[in-house]
Amino acid sequence: MGGLLVTVTGMWAYALTHLIVLADRPAELLAGAAVAAAVLLAGRPGLAAGPPARAARHGAGLRERARRRGVPRQVDPDAAGRPRPRAPGPGPAAG
């Protein structure tokens, strides 16, 4: 259904562009197209209502999880038992 909607919208925009170029009064044509688009969107409340409830709940859950998380624990690289990182040597790498 989404592909069909994109195709129809693209064809409508293409036709509207050519009509504007050929019209004597393009401002009136554009105003009529805007009114037609508003009427079509008003007839389909699902398109103008915004994101579905599932997406809104998902976003709220992500925000809540981000708030619960604290600052990551800082690791001391010089702590006892931690090997120090080594710089590459002059020879080829082993492996």
Side-chain angles (χ1 to χ4, degrees), residues 33-49:
V35 169
V39 167
L40 286 174
L41 287 177
R44 307 262 329 234
L47 293 176

Side-chain angles (χ1 to χ4, degrees), residues 3-78:
L4 178 65
L5 182 63
V6 169
T7 303
V8 170
T9 304
M11 290 173 58
W12 186 57
Y14 179 77
L16 183 63
T17 303
H18 283 284
L19 284 174
I20 290 170
V21 169
L22 299 174
D24 291 337
R25 296 180 181 173
E28 292 177 4
L29 185 63
L30 282 175
V35 169
V39 167
L40 286 174
L41 287 177
R44 307 262 329 234
L47 293 176
R54 182 174 181 242
R57 285 193 316 264
H58 182 68
L62 288 176
R63 280 190 296 277
E64 181 61 33
R65 189 173 77 181
R67 287 186 190 114
R68 280 194 314 253
R69 305 264 175 174
V71 176
R73 186 174 61 92
Q74 298 296 316
V75 178
D76 182 17
D78 292 327

